[in-house]
């Protein structure tokens, strides 16, 4: 053991950019752990709704975030012992999560919980501030983008497949509103880390995007070995 912390691949980007699907596939390909950090903000929003806390009450939300009883297992998540996998994906929780996430105290309360996912052999972390705030020393940082129209089309397809009917116009409006809130907030706004590689998936398949992230990770490893005699 060298004592070096396990490697991290940070995958950040806006809502419905495909980053979650890409990050989970990269984690599977490498046998790494996977952190869906957005799920934590969604869980705080769900817990707040269930306990009657106001989404603008920063101190109350931070207390809920710090005490959150969450178990992630095999792609499912339980809150207070009950399965919450579907509940955290509802449109109302999506909207509330982005309001909960503006509060610095909530973000601070979730930092160590996110860092605890960094275990051998490595971690793929997906979110908005993985490369900028939570894992600034990540070996590979990717910022996934896609046009708002393409993201709305993808989300539309997913919802139709689930039998949920919703208009493209409404989806596009929601995506733009969420983008503006996530990018405009003062605490850890959605922005690429200076050392992140931009990956525009508008015209890429998931497999192509996954292959690019794997190639970036592998080439970063080759560079580290060549540049650093200790590595
Ligand atoms: O990735 P997602 O759509 O599940 O995220 C839900 C909300 O949480 C989203 O509005 C932005 C916020 N979020 C955040 O602020 N920071 C993260 N690292 C992940 C998500």
């Amino acid at each position: 053991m060298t004592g070096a912390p396990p490697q991290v691949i940070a995958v950040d980007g806006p809502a419905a950019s495909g980053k979650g699907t890409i990050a989970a596939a990269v984690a599977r390909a490498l046998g790494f752990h996977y952190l869906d950090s957005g799920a934590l903000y969604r869980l705080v929003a769900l817990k707040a709704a269930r306990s009657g806390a106001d989404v603008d009450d920063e101190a109350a939300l931070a207390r809920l975030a710090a005490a959150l009883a969450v178990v992630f297992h095999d792609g499912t998540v339980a809150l207070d012992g009950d399965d919450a996998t579907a509940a955290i994906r509802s449109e109302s929780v999506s909207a509330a999560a982005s309001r909960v996430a503006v509060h610095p105290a909530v973000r601070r309360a979730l930092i160590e919980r996110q860092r605890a996912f960094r275990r051998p052999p490595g971690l793929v972390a997906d979110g908005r501030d993985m490369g900028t705030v939570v894992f600034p020393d990540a070996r590979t940082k990717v910022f996934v983008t896609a046009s708002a129209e393409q993201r709305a089309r993808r989300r539309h397809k997913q919802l139709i497949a689930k039998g949920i009917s919703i208009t493209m116009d409404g989806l596009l409006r929601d995506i733009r509103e969420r983008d503006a809130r996530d990018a405009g907030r003062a605490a850890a706004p959605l922005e690429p880390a200076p050392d992140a590689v931009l990956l525009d998936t508008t015209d890429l398949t998931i497999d192509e995007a996954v292959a690019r992230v794997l190639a970036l990770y592998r080439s970063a490893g080759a560079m580290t070995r060549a540049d650093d005699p200790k590595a």
Side-chain angles (χ1 to χ4, degrees), residues 107-158:
R107 307 195 69 84
R108 276 196 302 277
L110 293 177
I111 285 231
E112 287 313 317
R113 203 184 274 270
Q114 294 173 81
R115 290 187 178 149
F117 280 78
R118 185 176 197 169
R119 296 191 309 271
L123 173 69
V124 184
D126 127 37
R128 304 293 189 288
D129 60 346
M130 298 297 96
T132 49
V133 176
V134 182
F135 303 109
D137 63 335
R139 167 157 126 183
T140 304
K141 299 181 185 179
V142 181
F143 194 85
V144 181
T145 61
S147 68
E149 291 76 12
Q150 177 68 295
R151 288 185 283 135
R153 268 195 298 277
R154 287 178 186 160
R155 187 94 183 102
H156 192 244
K157 236 168 107 179
Q158 283 172 352

Short mmCIF file of all heavy atoms in Angstrom, two decimals, residues 107-158:
data_model
loop_
_atom_site.label_atom_id
_atom_site.label_comp_id
_atom_site.label_asym_id
_atom_site.label_seq_id
_atom_site.Cartn_x
_atom_site.Cartn_y
_atom_site.Cartn_z
N ARG A 107 -24.98 21.93 1.31
CA ARG A 107 -23.85 21.39 0.54
C ARG A 107 -22.73 20.95 1.47
O ARG A 107 -22.16 19.88 1.31
CB ARG A 107 -23.35 22.41 -0.49
CG ARG A 107 -24.47 22.96 -1.41
CD ARG A 107 -23.92 23.68 -2.62
NE ARG A 107 -23.30 22.72 -3.51
CZ ARG A 107 -23.95 22.01 -4.43
NH1 ARG A 107 -25.25 22.16 -4.61
NH2 ARG A 107 -23.31 21.15 -5.18
N ARG A 108 -22.46 21.79 2.49
CA ARG A 108 -21.39 21.41 3.45
C ARG A 108 -21.76 20.13 4.19
O ARG A 108 -20.93 19.26 4.40
CB ARG A 108 -21.20 22.54 4.49
CG ARG A 108 -20.29 23.65 4.01
CD ARG A 108 -19.82 24.51 5.18
NE ARG A 108 -20.93 25.11 5.94
CZ ARG A 108 -21.55 26.24 5.59
NH1 ARG A 108 -21.17 26.90 4.51
NH2 ARG A 108 -22.54 26.73 6.32
N ALA A 109 -23.05 20.02 4.55
CA ALA A 109 -23.48 18.84 5.32
C ALA A 109 -23.33 17.55 4.51
O ALA A 109 -23.24 16.47 5.09
CB ALA A 109 -24.94 19.02 5.76
N LEU A 110 -23.29 17.67 3.19
CA LEU A 110 -23.23 16.45 2.35
C LEU A 110 -21.81 16.11 1.88
O LEU A 110 -21.58 15.05 1.31
CB LEU A 110 -24.15 16.61 1.13
CG LEU A 110 -25.65 16.65 1.43
CD1 LEU A 110 -26.43 16.89 0.14
CD2 LEU A 110 -26.13 15.36 2.10
N ILE A 111 -20.85 17.01 2.13
CA ILE A 111 -19.50 16.81 1.56
C ILE A 111 -18.85 15.51 2.06
O ILE A 111 -18.39 14.69 1.26
CB ILE A 111 -18.59 18.02 1.86
CG1 ILE A 111 -18.99 19.15 0.96
CG2 ILE A 111 -17.12 17.63 1.67
CD1 ILE A 111 -17.88 19.79 0.17
N GLU A 112 -18.80 15.31 3.37
CA GLU A 112 -18.08 14.13 3.88
C GLU A 112 -18.80 12.85 3.48
O GLU A 112 -18.18 11.82 3.22
CB GLU A 112 -17.91 14.20 5.41
CG GLU A 112 -16.87 15.23 5.83
CD GLU A 112 -15.55 15.15 5.03
OE1 GLU A 112 -15.06 14.02 4.79
OE2 GLU A 112 -15.04 16.21 4.62
N ARG A 113 -20.10 12.91 3.42
CA ARG A 113 -20.88 11.74 3.00
C ARG A 113 -20.50 11.34 1.57
O ARG A 113 -20.40 10.17 1.24
CB ARG A 113 -22.36 12.11 3.05
CG ARG A 113 -23.30 10.95 3.18
CD ARG A 113 -24.70 11.48 3.10
NE ARG A 113 -25.23 11.92 4.38
CZ ARG A 113 -25.88 11.14 5.22
NH1 ARG A 113 -26.07 9.86 4.94
NH2 ARG A 113 -26.37 11.61 6.35
N GLN A 114 -20.27 12.34 0.73
CA GLN A 114 -19.86 12.06 -0.65
C GLN A 114 -18.43 11.52 -0.69
O GLN A 114 -18.14 10.56 -1.40
CB GLN A 114 -19.98 13.34 -1.50
CG GLN A 114 -21.42 13.80 -1.65
CD GLN A 114 -21.52 15.15 -2.34
OE1 GLN A 114 -21.45 15.24 -3.56
NE2 GLN A 114 -21.66 16.21 -1.56
N ARG A 115 -17.56 12.12 0.11
CA ARG A 115 -16.15 11.68 0.08
C ARG A 115 -16.00 10.26 0.62
O ARG A 115 -15.04 9.56 0.27
CB ARG A 115 -15.27 12.67 0.87
CG ARG A 115 -15.17 13.99 0.12
CD ARG A 115 -14.19 14.95 0.75
NE ARG A 115 -14.11 16.16 -0.06
CZ ARG A 115 -13.86 17.37 0.39
NH1 ARG A 115 -13.64 17.57 1.69
NH2 ARG A 115 -13.82 18.40 -0.43
N ALA A 116 -16.95 9.81 1.45
CA ALA A 116 -16.87 8.46 2.01
C ALA A 116 -17.04 7.38 0.93
O ALA A 116 -16.71 6.22 1.14
CB ALA A 116 -17.93 8.29 3.09
N PHE A 117 -17.53 7.78 -0.25
CA PHE A 117 -17.69 6.81 -1.35
C PHE A 117 -16.35 6.49 -2.01
O PHE A 117 -16.24 5.59 -2.82
CB PHE A 117 -18.64 7.35 -2.42
CG PHE A 117 -20.10 7.21 -2.06
CD1 PHE A 117 -20.68 8.08 -1.16
CD2 PHE A 117 -20.87 6.20 -2.62
CE1 PHE A 117 -22.03 7.95 -0.83
CE2 PHE A 117 -22.21 6.06 -2.30
CZ PHE A 117 -22.79 6.94 -1.39
N ARG A 118 -15.32 7.27 -1.68
CA ARG A 118 -14.00 7.07 -2.30
C ARG A 118 -13.30 5.90 -1.62
O ARG A 118 -12.64 6.06 -0.60
CB ARG A 118 -13.20 8.35 -2.13
CG ARG A 118 -11.86 8.31 -2.84
CD ARG A 118 -11.18 9.64 -2.71
NE ARG A 118 -10.12 9.77 -3.67
CZ ARG A 118 -9.49 10.90 -3.92
NH1 ARG A 118 -9.83 12.00 -3.29
NH2 ARG A 118 -8.54 10.95 -4.82
N ARG A 119 -13.48 4.72 -2.19
CA ARG A 119 -12.88 3.52 -1.61
C ARG A 119 -12.22 2.73 -2.73
O ARG A 119 -12.59 2.87 -3.91
CB ARG A 119 -13.97 2.65 -0.96
CG ARG A 119 -14.66 3.32 0.23
CD ARG A 119 -15.52 2.33 1.00
NE ARG A 119 -16.45 1.59 0.14
CZ ARG A 119 -17.67 1.99 -0.18
NH1 ARG A 119 -18.14 3.12 0.28
NH2 ARG A 119 -18.43 1.26 -0.97
N PRO A 120 -11.21 1.88 -2.40
CA PRO A 120 -10.58 1.08 -3.44
C PRO A 120 -11.61 0.20 -4.15
O PRO A 120 -12.56 -0.22 -3.47
CB PRO A 120 -9.58 0.21 -2.65
CG PRO A 120 -9.38 0.93 -1.35
CD PRO A 120 -10.66 1.64 -1.06
N PRO A 121 -11.48 -0.09 -5.43
CA PRO A 121 -10.34 0.27 -6.26
C PRO A 121 -10.45 1.67 -6.88
O PRO A 121 -9.48 2.13 -7.50
CB PRO A 121 -10.38 -0.79 -7.37
CG PRO A 121 -11.84 -1.12 -7.50
CD PRO A 121 -12.42 -1.00 -6.12
N GLY A 122 -11.57 2.37 -6.72
CA GLY A 122 -11.70 3.71 -7.28
C GLY A 122 -13.17 4.10 -7.33
O GLY A 122 -14.06 3.31 -6.98
N LEU A 123 -13.41 5.34 -7.73
CA LEU A 123 -14.76 5.89 -7.70
C LEU A 123 -15.05 6.68 -8.97
O LEU A 123 -14.21 7.45 -9.42
CB LEU A 123 -14.90 6.83 -6.48
CG LEU A 123 -16.20 7.62 -6.38
CD1 LEU A 123 -17.38 6.68 -6.08
CD2 LEU A 123 -16.10 8.68 -5.29
N VAL A 124 -16.25 6.50 -9.50
CA VAL A 124 -16.76 7.40 -10.53
C VAL A 124 -17.88 8.21 -9.86
O VAL A 124 -18.83 7.62 -9.34
CB VAL A 124 -17.31 6.64 -11.76
CG1 VAL A 124 -17.74 7.64 -12.83
CG2 VAL A 124 -16.27 5.68 -12.30
N ALA A 125 -17.72 9.53 -9.82
CA ALA A 125 -18.68 10.38 -9.11
C ALA A 125 -19.37 11.30 -10.10
O ALA A 125 -18.71 11.97 -10.89
CB ALA A 125 -17.95 11.21 -8.07
N ASP A 126 -20.70 11.31 -10.04
CA ASP A 126 -21.45 12.12 -11.00
C ASP A 126 -22.22 13.22 -10.29
O ASP A 126 -22.76 13.01 -9.22
CB ASP A 126 -22.29 11.15 -11.85
CG ASP A 126 -23.78 11.43 -11.93
OD1 ASP A 126 -24.17 12.59 -11.97
OD2 ASP A 126 -24.53 10.44 -11.98
N GLY A 127 -22.20 14.44 -10.85
CA GLY A 127 -22.91 15.55 -10.21
C GLY A 127 -22.69 16.87 -10.91
O GLY A 127 -22.66 16.94 -12.15
N ARG A 128 -22.57 17.93 -10.10
CA ARG A 128 -22.37 19.27 -10.64
C ARG A 128 -21.03 19.85 -10.20
O ARG A 128 -20.46 20.68 -10.88
CB ARG A 128 -23.47 20.23 -10.14
CG ARG A 128 -24.89 19.80 -10.45
CD ARG A 128 -25.15 19.84 -11.93
NE ARG A 128 -26.57 19.63 -12.22
CZ ARG A 128 -27.22 18.48 -12.10
NH1 ARG A 128 -26.58 17.40 -11.69
NH2 ARG A 128 -28.50 18.39 -12.38
N ASP A 129 -20.57 19.41 -9.01
CA ASP A 129 -19.36 20.00 -8.43
C ASP A 129 -18.36 18.93 -8.00
O ASP A 129 -17.59 19.15 -7.08
CB ASP A 129 -19.73 20.87 -7.22
CG ASP A 129 -20.42 20.06 -6.12
OD1 ASP A 129 -20.84 18.91 -6.38
OD2 ASP A 129 -20.52 20.57 -4.99
N MET A 130 -18.39 17.78 -8.67
CA MET A 130 -17.48 16.70 -8.29
C MET A 130 -16.02 17.11 -8.53
O MET A 130 -15.16 16.93 -7.69
CB MET A 130 -17.79 15.41 -9.07
CG MET A 130 -19.19 14.85 -8.83
SD MET A 130 -19.46 14.35 -7.11
CE MET A 130 -20.26 15.76 -6.44
N GLY A 131 -15.77 17.69 -9.71
CA GLY A 131 -14.40 18.06 -10.06
C GLY A 131 -13.95 19.39 -9.46
O GLY A 131 -12.76 19.65 -9.34
N THR A 132 -14.93 20.24 -9.08
CA THR A 132 -14.56 21.57 -8.57
C THR A 132 -14.45 21.60 -7.05
O THR A 132 -13.54 22.22 -6.51
CB THR A 132 -15.60 22.63 -9.00
OG1 THR A 132 -16.90 22.12 -8.69
CG2 THR A 132 -15.49 22.95 -10.48
N VAL A 133 -15.37 20.93 -6.34
CA VAL A 133 -15.44 21.08 -4.89
C VAL A 133 -15.19 19.77 -4.13
O VAL A 133 -14.41 19.73 -3.18
CB VAL A 133 -16.84 21.64 -4.47
CG1 VAL A 133 -16.98 21.71 -2.95
CG2 VAL A 133 -17.07 23.01 -5.09
N VAL A 134 -15.88 18.73 -4.52
CA VAL A 134 -15.88 17.52 -3.68
C VAL A 134 -14.60 16.70 -3.89
O VAL A 134 -13.97 16.25 -2.93
CB VAL A 134 -17.15 16.66 -3.92
CG1 VAL A 134 -17.16 15.43 -3.02
CG2 VAL A 134 -18.40 17.50 -3.66
N PHE A 135 -14.18 16.53 -5.16
CA PHE A 135 -12.96 15.77 -5.45
C PHE A 135 -12.04 16.59 -6.37
O PHE A 135 -11.80 16.22 -7.52
CB PHE A 135 -13.31 14.43 -6.12
CG PHE A 135 -14.24 13.57 -5.32
CD1 PHE A 135 -15.57 13.38 -5.72
CD2 PHE A 135 -13.80 12.93 -4.15
CE1 PHE A 135 -16.43 12.58 -4.97
CE2 PHE A 135 -14.66 12.14 -3.40
CZ PHE A 135 -15.98 11.96 -3.81
N PRO A 136 -11.52 17.71 -5.85
CA PRO A 136 -10.70 18.57 -6.73
C PRO A 136 -9.43 17.86 -7.22
O PRO A 136 -8.85 18.28 -8.22
CB PRO A 136 -10.37 19.78 -5.85
CG PRO A 136 -10.66 19.37 -4.45
CD PRO A 136 -11.67 18.28 -4.50
N ASP A 137 -9.03 16.77 -6.54
CA ASP A 137 -7.82 16.05 -6.97
C ASP A 137 -8.16 14.85 -7.86
O ASP A 137 -7.31 13.98 -8.04
CB ASP A 137 -7.02 15.58 -5.74
CG ASP A 137 -7.81 14.59 -4.89
OD1 ASP A 137 -9.06 14.61 -4.95
OD2 ASP A 137 -7.18 13.78 -4.17
N ALA A 138 -9.39 14.79 -8.39
CA ALA A 138 -9.77 13.66 -9.26
C ALA A 138 -8.77 13.52 -10.40
O ALA A 138 -8.31 14.52 -10.96
CB ALA A 138 -11.17 13.89 -9.83
N ARG A 139 -8.45 12.27 -10.74
CA ARG A 139 -7.47 12.05 -11.82
C ARG A 139 -8.04 12.49 -13.16
O ARG A 139 -7.34 13.05 -14.00
CB ARG A 139 -7.10 10.57 -11.87
CG ARG A 139 -6.35 10.19 -13.13
CD ARG A 139 -5.54 8.95 -12.90
NE ARG A 139 -5.85 7.92 -13.88
CZ ARG A 139 -5.30 6.71 -13.86
NH1 ARG A 139 -4.48 6.36 -12.91
NH2 ARG A 139 -5.62 5.84 -14.77
N THR A 140 -9.31 12.21 -13.38
CA THR A 140 -9.95 12.56 -14.64
C THR A 140 -11.21 13.37 -14.35
O THR A 140 -12.01 12.98 -13.49
CB THR A 140 -10.32 11.28 -15.42
OG1 THR A 140 -9.14 10.51 -15.59
CG2 THR A 140 -10.94 11.59 -16.77
N LYS A 141 -11.36 14.50 -15.03
CA LYS A 141 -12.56 15.34 -14.85
C LYS A 141 -13.20 15.56 -16.20
O LYS A 141 -12.54 16.04 -17.13
CB LYS A 141 -12.18 16.70 -14.25
CG LYS A 141 -11.53 16.58 -12.89
CD LYS A 141 -11.20 17.95 -12.33
CE LYS A 141 -10.44 17.81 -11.02
NZ LYS A 141 -10.08 19.12 -10.45
N VAL A 142 -14.46 15.20 -16.28
CA VAL A 142 -15.18 15.34 -17.54
C VAL A 142 -16.40 16.22 -17.29
O VAL A 142 -17.08 16.06 -16.26
CB VAL A 142 -15.65 13.95 -18.05
CG1 VAL A 142 -16.38 14.09 -19.38
CG2 VAL A 142 -14.47 13.01 -18.19
N PHE A 143 -16.66 17.15 -18.17
CA PHE A 143 -17.87 17.97 -18.08
C PHE A 143 -18.74 17.65 -19.28
O PHE A 143 -18.38 17.95 -20.42
CB PHE A 143 -17.49 19.46 -18.04
CG PHE A 143 -18.63 20.33 -17.61
CD1 PHE A 143 -18.90 20.55 -16.27
CD2 PHE A 143 -19.45 20.94 -18.56
CE1 PHE A 143 -19.95 21.37 -15.88
CE2 PHE A 143 -20.51 21.75 -18.19
CZ PHE A 143 -20.76 21.97 -16.83
N VAL A 144 -19.85 16.96 -19.02
CA VAL A 144 -20.70 16.47 -20.10
C VAL A 144 -21.74 17.52 -20.45
O VAL A 144 -22.42 18.05 -19.57
CB VAL A 144 -21.44 15.17 -19.65
CG1 VAL A 144 -22.32 14.64 -20.78
CG2 VAL A 144 -20.44 14.11 -19.21
N THR A 145 -21.85 17.84 -21.73
CA THR A 145 -22.88 18.78 -22.17
C THR A 145 -23.69 18.15 -23.30
O THR A 145 -23.28 17.14 -23.88
CB THR A 145 -22.27 20.10 -22.71
OG1 THR A 145 -21.44 19.77 -23.82
CG2 THR A 145 -21.46 20.80 -21.66
N ALA A 146 -24.81 18.76 -23.59
CA ALA A 146 -25.61 18.43 -24.78
C ALA A 146 -26.57 19.60 -24.91
O ALA A 146 -26.88 20.25 -23.90
CB ALA A 146 -26.37 17.12 -24.59
N SER A 147 -27.04 19.87 -26.11
CA SER A 147 -27.94 21.01 -26.27
C SER A 147 -29.20 20.79 -25.43
O SER A 147 -29.59 19.64 -25.16
CB SER A 147 -28.32 21.16 -27.74
OG SER A 147 -29.14 20.06 -28.13
N ALA A 148 -29.83 21.89 -24.99
CA ALA A 148 -31.05 21.77 -24.18
C ALA A 148 -32.13 21.00 -24.96
O ALA A 148 -32.85 20.19 -24.38
CB ALA A 148 -31.55 23.16 -23.79
N GLU A 149 -32.20 21.22 -26.27
CA GLU A 149 -33.21 20.53 -27.10
C GLU A 149 -32.96 19.02 -27.08
O GLU A 149 -33.90 18.24 -26.94
CB GLU A 149 -33.19 21.04 -28.54
CG GLU A 149 -33.68 22.47 -28.73
CD GLU A 149 -32.67 23.52 -28.28
OE1 GLU A 149 -31.50 23.16 -28.02
OE2 GLU A 149 -33.06 24.70 -28.16
N GLN A 150 -31.70 18.64 -27.26
CA GLN A 150 -31.38 17.22 -27.26
C GLN A 150 -31.68 16.60 -25.89
O GLN A 150 -32.22 15.49 -25.80
CB GLN A 150 -29.90 17.02 -27.64
CG GLN A 150 -29.41 15.59 -27.60
CD GLN A 150 -30.02 14.73 -28.68
OE1 GLN A 150 -31.23 14.48 -28.69
NE2 GLN A 150 -29.20 14.26 -29.60
N ARG A 151 -31.38 17.32 -24.83
CA ARG A 151 -31.64 16.79 -23.48
C ARG A 151 -33.13 16.64 -23.26
O ARG A 151 -33.59 15.66 -22.67
CB ARG A 151 -30.99 17.71 -22.43
CG ARG A 151 -29.47 17.56 -22.44
CD ARG A 151 -28.81 18.35 -21.34
NE ARG A 151 -28.73 19.76 -21.62
CZ ARG A 151 -29.02 20.74 -20.77
NH1 ARG A 151 -29.45 20.45 -19.56
NH2 ARG A 151 -28.91 21.99 -21.11
N ALA A 152 -33.91 17.62 -23.74
CA ALA A 152 -35.38 17.53 -23.59
C ALA A 152 -35.90 16.32 -24.38
O ALA A 152 -36.77 15.59 -23.91
CB ALA A 152 -36.03 18.82 -24.05
N ARG A 153 -35.34 16.11 -25.59
CA ARG A 153 -35.78 14.95 -26.41
C ARG A 153 -35.48 13.64 -25.69
O ARG A 153 -36.31 12.74 -25.65
CB ARG A 153 -35.05 14.96 -27.76
CG ARG A 153 -35.80 15.70 -28.87
CD ARG A 153 -35.23 15.37 -30.25
NE ARG A 153 -33.84 15.77 -30.40
CZ ARG A 153 -33.43 17.01 -30.72
NH1 ARG A 153 -34.33 17.95 -30.96
NH2 ARG A 153 -32.16 17.28 -30.83
N ARG A 154 -34.29 13.53 -25.10
CA ARG A 154 -33.92 12.29 -24.39
C ARG A 154 -34.84 12.03 -23.20
O ARG A 154 -35.28 10.92 -22.97
CB ARG A 154 -32.47 12.38 -23.90
CG ARG A 154 -31.46 12.27 -25.02
CD ARG A 154 -30.06 12.41 -24.46
NE ARG A 154 -29.07 12.44 -25.51
CZ ARG A 154 -27.84 12.92 -25.37
NH1 ARG A 154 -27.45 13.42 -24.21
NH2 ARG A 154 -26.98 12.90 -26.36
N ARG A 155 -35.09 13.10 -22.45
CA ARG A 155 -35.95 12.97 -21.26
C ARG A 155 -37.38 12.60 -21.70
O ARG A 155 -38.02 11.78 -21.05
CB ARG A 155 -35.92 14.30 -20.50
CG ARG A 155 -36.61 14.31 -19.21
CD ARG A 155 -35.65 14.02 -18.05
NE ARG A 155 -36.41 13.95 -16.79
CZ ARG A 155 -36.74 12.83 -16.19
NH1 ARG A 155 -36.37 11.68 -16.66
NH2 ARG A 155 -37.46 12.86 -15.08
N HIS A 156 -37.82 13.19 -22.79
CA HIS A 156 -39.16 12.92 -23.31
C HIS A 156 -39.29 11.44 -23.63
O HIS A 156 -40.26 10.78 -23.25
CB HIS A 156 -39.37 13.77 -24.58
CG HIS A 156 -40.80 13.81 -25.04
ND1 HIS A 156 -41.20 13.28 -26.25
CD2 HIS A 156 -41.92 14.29 -24.46
CE1 HIS A 156 -42.50 13.45 -26.38
NE2 HIS A 156 -42.96 14.06 -25.32
N LYS A 157 -38.27 10.90 -24.32
CA LYS A 157 -38.27 9.49 -24.69
C LYS A 157 -38.34 8.59 -23.45
O LYS A 157 -39.13 7.63 -23.39
CB LYS A 157 -36.98 9.16 -25.45
CG LYS A 157 -37.23 8.54 -26.82
CD LYS A 157 -35.97 8.52 -27.62
CE LYS A 157 -35.39 7.12 -27.74
NZ LYS A 157 -34.16 7.10 -28.56
N GLN A 158 -37.55 8.95 -22.42
CA GLN A 158 -37.54 8.15 -21.18
C GLN A 158 -38.92 8.17 -20.53
O GLN A 158 -39.43 7.13 -20.09
CB GLN A 158 -36.58 8.76 -20.15
CG GLN A 158 -35.13 8.47 -20.40
CD GLN A 158 -34.25 9.28 -19.43
OE1 GLN A 158 -34.72 10.14 -18.69
NE2 GLN A 158 -32.95 9.00 -19.47
#
